[in-house]
Amino acid sequence: MGPLPMAARAAGGCSSAALAFFGFRPLRRGLRPAAAFSWAESSHYGGCRSRLAHSLVDSVLDELRSRRLRRVQVSAKLGLQGTKELSDNKIDKRALQKGLLLEFQKDSERSLLAVVERPDGKKNWMVTDQNGILSSIKPQQVTYVVPGVMNFDSSRIDEFLEKAQDLLDPTVLECAWMELSEKDKSITVEEFAEIVYGNKESLESYCAHFLLSRDIVYFVKVESRDYSMYQPRSPPQVEELLRRKLAKEEAEKELEEFVHLLKSAKALPMESKPPKSSWLVDDKVRQKIEALQAYAVDACDDEQRRSAGNILKAMGFTRTSSAALKLLINVGYFPVHVNLDLFKYDVRISYTEEVLSAAEELLVDRPDSDMHIRKDLSALKVYAIDVDEADELDDALSATRLPDGRIKVWIHVADPTCLIKPRSIMDREAMHRGTSIFLPTATFPMFPERLAMSAMSLQQGKQCKSVSVSVILHPDGSIAEYTLENSIIKPTYMLTYESATELLYMNLEEEEELRILQEAASIRAQWRRAQGSIDTAMIEPRIKVSNPDDPEPNINLYVEDQANPAMQLVSEMMILCGEAVAAFGADNNLPLPYRGHPQSSTAVSAFSHLPDGPARSFANISVLRAAEMDFQKPVPHGVLGIPGYVQFTSPIRRYVDLLAHYQVKAFLRGDSPPYSAGDLEGMTFIASMHVKVARRLHSNSLRYWLLEYLRRQPKGRKYKALILKFVKDRMAVLLLLEVGMQVTTTVLRGKVGDEVSVAVETAHPRDDILSIREVIEDTDDTEE
């Protein structure tokens, strides 16, 4: 005899009333539950109906458990266990047999129905799942054995699942929970099927199992000695879980909408993609796009990692940083050549409104507490020499020959401290930037642009405030006299290194001051060499990218030879200035950021066999020791061959130079220095951390664009390369002379300092991959 309808067993002809109270009507296979009966709607019945319903539930559960106990006892006496008892008791994996219908865990996300075919070894079983796939499963994978099924045909699993769909209404869980939670009654799967569907046949029992095992709100599975039971959760737990469930559903909806936005943008042509700003308007969209951005640069927190991972999965991408980058480029949020380091290192590329407002106030007021002690040097011919795209001009040079034949030079340095005061908001901003950042694609100044490139910078033909360091040289190039003073200058020429070199070669009589500067630089270089200085001049690349957001931007490559006469002239004068300021600090017991560099344990003569130029400079650089800092007295600078050195010539673009200006300017006014040696040390440390990031950023960006430049060159193009060093056997470090870039490859002939020919095989800037091969040429200059 089949299971009795709930009403017949519990209260005679009251089945409809009882089930209606639960929110259901008695179901037959293939019918869906009626709409759930609201708890609020039942309140007018008072406690009478509630007591009736509870008594019905109690009687049904009592009868079911009594029958189960009797069946288990009989089966135990006979030594049998039928298929129905497989679901009543905990699943005994050893009792599996051919033809049983069961559910098993395929993987962490999927459970499948399958029919048992045969044993597989001592413990495993071969099953055919609902997809028709034959596989071996372990007993531990079995999650449910459908009761009442023998010799089931696997071809009928789809039919079974189709019928089950009509019964799988999750709303029945809430209704059953409302009734069972008051007495905290635990039930088995089949008891749930009996209450909800009116019977516990195979299909109904499976549906009850399906609903309960996947429920995350109303019921929790508890294990007893003989049965797997489901216990109703407490109302506070249900309330919290419902809140989480709704939040999850809302998140899934937001994800679906965001993925739709991504797919729509991805499908558009490059010129029609939405602007970056459009992704930042809505907070929820902005958070998701920023999670992808953080994921792309490997700088995300746990929440961003989860969010980005879900987005990438929904888009069909792998969960990798490169996939996130590719997606952001595909939707137009990032340009093709985006500089990820700007995000990775959290570089300050903009200013707060507070800082910009403070800058505007300085531009209006333009205070100058040193005006009364400034010396007018505007009659001097002044040369400002820098790269052609320089925006911040902070040093210039003058020279004359004294009646006794000695040379006097002036190094004029821009005076930003006439505007910026120690510990001001602008000063703190500069300290936490450390330096201006110069990239092939952009410049991020240490000060707001209007301050750095107009009010602070030296400008041709205009009177400019400066600090002028004048030095009279002995004939051997050593310092005879020096002075530091506030000044007014009027720059005569703004020259590039190339144009200054041309003027030097022309040797024009009217540019006598430039020739004197070159002479001063020459005798200074000779004097420093006599003091043990080390030549570190190299060939350096410089790239300017005019339209970096385009897929194919214009790349302008310049290769600078630091042995260029104009560059050497400027370099010698900057070193001379640093030596004079260090002497000024020592003579006046002034705390300054003194920079030193101990001599290497390897003698300079060790590389005398190498040819002058990059090969010898590279060898010299390779044995240099780390720089040293002192904030009370000068430290010998063995590399430069001078007794002391203070960086002073770039106060607009280097914060350590600005600190030196604060100290010197205070002394010239007769004030106490604003900072002690300890203060200087702490502030220099903070600034230097940002300087390291800026250098890494510059180096990485330069390399990226050099690789992009090489990628675009004709395949097979030959480059001249200089052998700098052999790493191991014939593996050599080379310098590409037309590019200014160091590369590594195997060369079959030549020694350090020799030239070889190479070609680029592979250049992938985004992956930082460069492959070079040597090109061996025969006497006819053809490639072998």
Side-chain angles (χ1 to χ4, degrees):
M1 180 178 178
L4 295 173
M6 173 180 176
R9 293 195 309 274
C14 299
S15 68
S16 297
L19 289 176
F21 182 74
F22 283 117
F24 315 107
R25 50 189 167 87
L27 294 177
R28 292 181 184 150
R29 192 168 301 173
L31 298 179
R32 296 183 59 82
F37 184 81
S38 169
W39 182 260
E41 292 171 348
S42 68
S43 60
H44 67 280
Y45 289 98
C48 177
R49 189 165 188 175
S50 178
R51 287 193 299 274
L52 172 61
H54 291 162
S55 64
L56 291 175
V57 172
D58 291 341
S59 61
V60 169
L61 294 179
D62 289 344
E63 182 178 344
L64 286 171
R65 287 165 182 164
S66 175
R67 289 187 177 190
R68 182 188 309 111
L69 180 59
R70 289 196 297 272
R71 286 200 305 269
V72 171
Q73 290 171 343
V74 170
S75 298
K77 290 179 180 179
L78 298 176
L80 301 174
Q81 185 158 359
T83 56
K84 290 186 178 182
E85 282 68 45
L86 282 172
S87 65
D88 283 346
N89 293 306
K90 290 185 179 179
I91 298 169
D92 185 351
K93 311 301 191 303
R94 294 171 299 178
L96 295 181
Q97 54 187 282
K98 177 178 173 60
L100 289 182
L101 179 63
L102 55 78
E103 181 188 76
F104 74 97
Q105 193 78 26
K106 177 69 174 177
D107 52 42
S108 61
E109 297 182 355
R110 290 182 300 165
S111 293
L112 301 177
L113 278 182
V115 174
V116 178
E117 300 291 351
R118 62 181 182 275
D120 182 30
K122 293 183 178 180
K123 296 183 180 180
N124 296 353
W125 288 83
M126 299 299 296
V127 299
T128 301
D129 66 29
Q130 62 196 60
N131 299 315
I133 297 174
L134 181 68
S135 58
S136 176
I137 66 171
K138 299 177 181 179
Q140 297 91 322
Q141 291 177 256
V142 179
T143 53
Y144 186 70
V145 176
V146 179
V149 176
M150 295 291 290
N151 299 317
F152 197 81
D153 187 344
S154 61
S155 64
R156 296 179 56 207
I157 296 179
D158 283 343
E159 178 188 352
F160 184 87
L161 286 172
E162 185 177 352
K163 291 179 179 179
Q165 287 301 317
D166 293 329
L167 301 180
L168 294 176
D169 186 344
T171 60
V172 301
L173 290 164
E174 179 182 5
C175 299
W177 172 81
M178 291 173 66
E179 297 301 334
L180 295 168
S181 62
E182 282 204 357
K183 289 191 175 182
D184 194 24
K185 290 184 177 292
S186 297
I187 58 172
T188 65
V189 166
E190 290 170 339
E191 289 169 349
F192 186 85
E194 186 81 23
I195 293 172
V196 171
Y197 300 116
N199 68 69
K200 55 174 184 174
E201 293 298 325
S202 304
L203 182 65
E204 287 77 9
S205 291
Y206 169 72
C207 291
H209 158 74
F210 187 96
L211 291 172
L212 286 170
S213 63
R214 288 152 178 82
D215 173 42
I216 60 171
V217 176
Y218 298 103
F219 292 89
V220 60
K221 189 175 183 179
V222 292
E223 301 287 351
S224 67
R225 188 180 66 178
D226 299 315
Y227 309 106
S228 292
M229 308 289 288
Y230 286 87
Q231 180 179 5
R233 298 181 191 269
S234 67
Q237 287 178 315
V238 169
E239 183 178 358
E240 174 60 20
L241 290 170
L242 278 174
R243 186 193 64 78
R244 293 182 187 178
K245 183 171 180 287
L246 291 173
K248 182 181 178 182
E249 290 171 352
E250 180 64 24
E252 290 172 349
K253 180 182 177 183
E254 290 176 8
L255 175 61
E256 183 180 352
E257 293 172 349
F258 182 71
V259 167
H260 176 73
L261 287 176
L262 292 175
K263 289 181 177 178
S264 299
K266 187 172 179 286
L268 294 172
M270 186 62 68
E271 64 275 8
S272 302
K273 293 189 185 296
K276 180 176 181 178
S277 58
S278 66
W279 298 94
L280 307 176
V281 176
D282 181 85
D283 284 344
K284 293 178 180 179
V285 172
R286 176 181 54 78
Q287 289 171 4
K288 289 179 175 59
I289 205 78
E290 287 179 349
L292 280 173
Q293 175 180 297
Y295 197 87
V297 299
D298 293 322
C300 55
D301 56 33
D302 290 342
E303 181 59 34
Q304 288 175 322
R305 183 175 291 104
R306 282 192 296 270
S307 177
N310 291 336
I311 294 167
L312 291 170
K313 181 181 178 182
M315 288 292 294
F317 283 71
T318 57
R319 296 180 183 181
T320 62
S321 57
S322 59
L325 172 61
K326 181 180 179 181
L327 176 58
L328 290 171
I329 292 174
N330 286 344
V331 301
Y333 181 78
F334 277 163
V336 173
H337 298 285
V338 60
N339 189 338
L340 293 180
D341 284 346
L342 292 174
F343 307 99
K344 183 176 182 179
Y345 298 126
D346 195 21
V347 177
R348 295 189 181 201
I349 60 176
S350 60
Y351 294 87
T352 64
E353 288 298 324
E354 185 182 15
V355 171
L356 292 174
S357 177
E360 291 301 316
E361 290 178 9
L362 292 173
L363 287 168
V364 172
D365 295 340
R366 299 210 176 193
D368 183 14
S369 57
D370 302 308
M371 184 58 71
H372 64 290
I373 57 172
R374 289 193 184 277
K375 185 174 183 179
D376 187 357
L377 299 178
S378 57
L380 290 174
K381 184 180 285 188
V382 177
Y383 299 88
I385 306 172
D386 210 328
V387 294
D388 57 355
E389 70 270 11
D391 297 312
E392 306 161 333
L393 295 173
D394 46 17
D395 55 71
L397 305 170
S398 299
T400 190
R401 193 178 300 278
L402 300 177
D404 61 5
R406 294 185 300 174
I407 294 175
K408 181 176 183 178
V409 299
W410 286 265
I411 301 96
H412 310 289
V413 184
D415 185 12
T417 63
C418 69
L419 297 173
I420 309 301
K421 302 305 176 187
R423 300 182 179 87
S424 65
I425 181 175
M426 203 62 62
D427 171 69
R428 293 195 303 272
E429 180 72 15
M431 179 179 67
H432 285 98
R433 289 174 180 263
T435 181
S436 295
I437 299 175
F438 301 97
L439 303 180
T441 53
T443 297
F444 304 112
M446 188 172 72
F447 291 108
E449 187 172 324
R450 274 169 46 83
L451 273 181
M453 299 175 187
S454 58
M456 291 179 176
S457 288
L458 304 179
Q459 300 178 57
Q460 184 175 6
K462 295 183 178 181
Q463 290 197 336
C464 303
K465 303 179 184 68
S466 67
V467 179
S468 294
V469 179
S470 61
V471 179
I472 297 175
L473 296 176
H474 285 302
D476 67 353
S478 60
I479 296 177
E481 302 174 25
Y482 70 83
T483 59
L484 275 69
E485 54 195 347
N486 294 288
S487 63
I488 294 289
I489 63 169
K490 190 175 182 181
T492 313
Y493 296 111
M494 295 292 185
L495 302 174
T496 64
Y497 288 116
E498 292 78 13
S499 60
T501 297
E502 289 180 11
L503 279 178
L504 288 171
Y505 284 141
M506 293 170 67
N507 198 24
L508 299 175
E509 184 176 343
E510 57 268 30
E511 300 302 334
E512 179 187 6
E513 294 86 350
L514 190 60
R515 295 203 309 272
I516 295 173
L517 279 170
Q518 186 181 31
E519 181 183 344
S522 178
I523 63 174
R524 277 291 297 174
Q526 293 175 16
W527 179 80
R528 290 193 306 107
R529 279 196 293 271
Q531 309 306 309
S533 69
I534 298 175
D535 185 10
T536 59
M538 288 290 290
I539 293 177
E540 298 287 349
R542 182 163 52 87
I543 280 183
K544 192 70 175 178
V545 181
S546 55
N547 50 341
D549 288 347
D550 289 356
E552 291 288 326
N554 296 322
I555 302 176
N556 298 306
L557 172 65
Y558 310 89
V559 180
E560 296 177 341
D561 186 352
Q562 293 180 340
N564 168 287
M567 293 192 77
Q568 283 197 322
L569 185 158
V570 172
S571 177
E572 286 296 339
M573 293 302 101
M574 300 303 106
I575 294 170
L576 176 60
C577 178
E579 183 184 350
V581 173
F584 177 84
D587 291 344
N588 297 287
N589 197 28
L590 186 64
L592 288 172
Y594 299 99
R595 187 178 184 86
H597 220 299
Q599 285 278 12
S600 169
S601 57
T602 302
V604 176
S605 60
F607 305 117
S608 58
H609 65 285
L610 299 176
D612 276 336
R616 184 182 293 180
S617 294
F618 181 81
N620 288 333
I621 292 171
S622 67
V623 297
L624 291 182
R625 295 165 62 184
E628 297 177 351
M629 295 291 294
D630 195 293
F631 301 92
Q632 293 179 320
K633 62 183 185 303
V635 182
H637 203 302
V639 175
L640 298 179
I642 56 179
Y645 181 66
V646 173
Q647 289 182 319
F648 195 77
T649 57
S650 297
I652 302 175
R653 62 181 77 175
R654 284 195 308 240
Y655 187 72
V656 172
D657 297 46
L658 186 69
L659 286 177
H661 275 245
Y662 286 144
Q663 302 292 91
V664 168
K665 291 288 297 295
F667 185 88
L668 293 178
R669 284 194 301 269
D671 297 339
S672 299
Y675 299 117
S676 66
D679 294 334
L680 291 176
E681 183 173 7
M683 298 166 76
T684 299
F685 177 78
I686 293 172
S688 66
M689 291 191 298
H690 299 285
V691 170
K692 288 178 182 177
V693 171
R695 288 175 179 166
R696 191 179 302 119
L697 189 65
H698 170 79
S699 175
N700 292 350
S701 183
L702 180 62
R703 179 173 173 83
Y704 176 93
W705 287 105
L706 286 171
L707 291 180
E708 176 64 14
Y709 171 84
L710 292 172
R711 184 188 69 83
R712 298 186 187 185
Q713 300 310 300
K715 192 168 183 63
R717 173 186 167 180
K718 291 183 289 187
Y719 300 86
K720 293 180 181 179
L722 188 71
I723 301 177
L724 297 178
K725 177 185 178 181
F726 284 101
V727 181
K728 183 179 180 182
D729 298 329
R730 299 302 296 178
M731 180 65 68
V733 178
L734 308 178
L735 176 64
L736 300 183
L737 296 175
E738 298 106 317
V739 183
M741 183 182 188
Q742 293 180 21
V743 298
T744 303
T745 192
T746 300
V747 295
L748 299 179
R749 61 186 181 182
K751 61 184 184 301
V752 173
D754 288 349
E755 284 190 15
V756 295
S757 293
V758 297
V760 175
E761 289 191 320
T762 307
H764 290 307
R766 184 60 67 191
D767 299 321
D768 193 22
I769 295 174
L770 177 64
S771 177
I772 301 288
R773 63 178 174 86
E774 183 184 15
V775 176
I776 308 276
E777 298 174 334
D778 60 20
T779 55
D780 295 328
D781 196 32
T782 58
E783 184 180 336
E784 291 187 350

